DNA sequence: TAATTATACATAGATAATCTAGGTATAATT
DNA sequence: AATTATACCTAGATTATCTATGTATAATTA
């Protein structure tokens, strides 16, 4: 496949970086946000998201910092880096090519944002 | 995730059944056809496609039969079954929900068939 | 005519993404 | 005091795809 598993097997990197593009967020929040925005289609597990965030930080695409929340335990916020923004552009391009290709094969409906 | 890995990790089942919906095909042909239709975006390996076809047959979604080709070794054609057609409908629905959700999260462009 | 190439099928083991299942820590609610 | 919600973390299981290799047949090339 031309698409690596980060996209096909997992669009998680694309989704996480997309959220971080607009504002800093913490892991737990990302899960809730994805659930909300996707109408419950995305229900990422904590066991999925935290290792991905660690890898993203390790790869230099995001940078974390600690901050207190109103409730519960202290939060670890993630901010997208310049490299992360470049990565996001590439991931979006891959997703576009991938989804267009799938639609070509399966018959090609039209999908609008709403 | 609501989407099982057959879709997220692999849209192969969706792609293969979509091709078989129109006409019977053999494995090697499916690889070439996907490559062609996707403008080289999909370049499935034989090590991927044959095990998937075997599983699809085992699950009753396709049925195979032998036939001679013009060149090379004898071909093994696959025909989609009634259960396979039902499966395809579900896989398409999942793909639609998935791609719409991704587009909502990443900003929502519009993707047309062409 | 011998070697190579293209076609065509097949499988074992490696790799990697996600999930399961457990754990820790803190504050609010019951 | 116990439970619930928030918030983080990781080890191991599961599974999809790829890598690598092998077999078989016919056409092409040297």
């Amino acid at each position: 496949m031309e698409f690596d598993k980060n996209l096909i097997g997992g669009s998680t990197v694309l989704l996480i970086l997309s959220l971080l593009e607009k504002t800093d967020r913490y892991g737990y929040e990302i899960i809730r946000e994805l659930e909300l925005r996707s109408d419950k289609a995305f229900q990422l597990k904590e066991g999925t998201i935290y290792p991905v965030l660690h890898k993203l930080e390790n790869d230099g695409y995001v940078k974390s910092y600690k901050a207190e929340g109103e409730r519960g335990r202290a939060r670890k916020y993630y901010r997208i880096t310049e490299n992360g923004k470049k990565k996001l552009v590439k991931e979006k391009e891959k997703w576009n090519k991938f989804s267009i290709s799938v639609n070509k094969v399966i018959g090609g409906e039209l999908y609008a944002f709403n």
Side-chain angles (χ1 to χ4, degrees), chain A:
Chain A
M1 303 283 277
E2 190 186 305
F3 309 109
D4 60 7
K5 285 164 203 162
N6 278 327
L7 182 70
I8 297 182
S11 42
T12 47
V13 168
L14 170 66
L15 295 172
I16 292 170
L17 290 181
S18 286
L19 288 187
L20 296 181
E21 193 187 15
K22 284 130 203 165
T23 177
D24 297 1
R25 292 182 189 277
Y26 55 99
Y28 201 77
E29 186 188 13
I30 291 173
I31 295 172
R32 304 281 154 259
E33 193 66 28
L34 287 175
E35 196 175 354
L36 192 74
R37 292 205 191 193
S38 70
D39 198 25
K40 304 231 178 186
F42 299 131
Q43 297 189 302
L44 293 182
K45 310 302 176 191
E46 299 180 41
T48 302
I49 211 105
Y50 291 117
V52 173
L53 286 170
H54 299 161
K55 189 173 190 314
L56 284 174
E57 177 152 39
N58 216 62
D59 293 346
Y61 299 129
V62 300
K63 186 117 186 54
S64 71
Y65 58 93
K66 277 272 176 64
E68 294 300 318
E70 300 92 60
R71 276 179 294 279
R73 197 170 162 174
R75 295 167 179 170
K76 198 166 157 192
Y77 279 86
Y78 290 90
R79 167 171 295 157
I80 192 167
T81 65
E82 282 310 309
N83 265 337
K85 287 175 189 171
K86 284 177 201 159
K87 171 83 167 168
L88 177 56
V89 169
K90 280 183 211 148
E91 292 294 317
K92 279 189 181 177
E93 280 167 7
K94 280 199 216 172
W95 162 255
N96 286 345
K97 190 160 165 49
F98 175 68
S99 63
I100 287 169
S101 295
V102 171
N103 289 336
K104 269 188 196 169
V105 172
I106 71 173
E109 285 90 326
L110 199 90
Y111 305 111
F113 173 70
N114 57 354

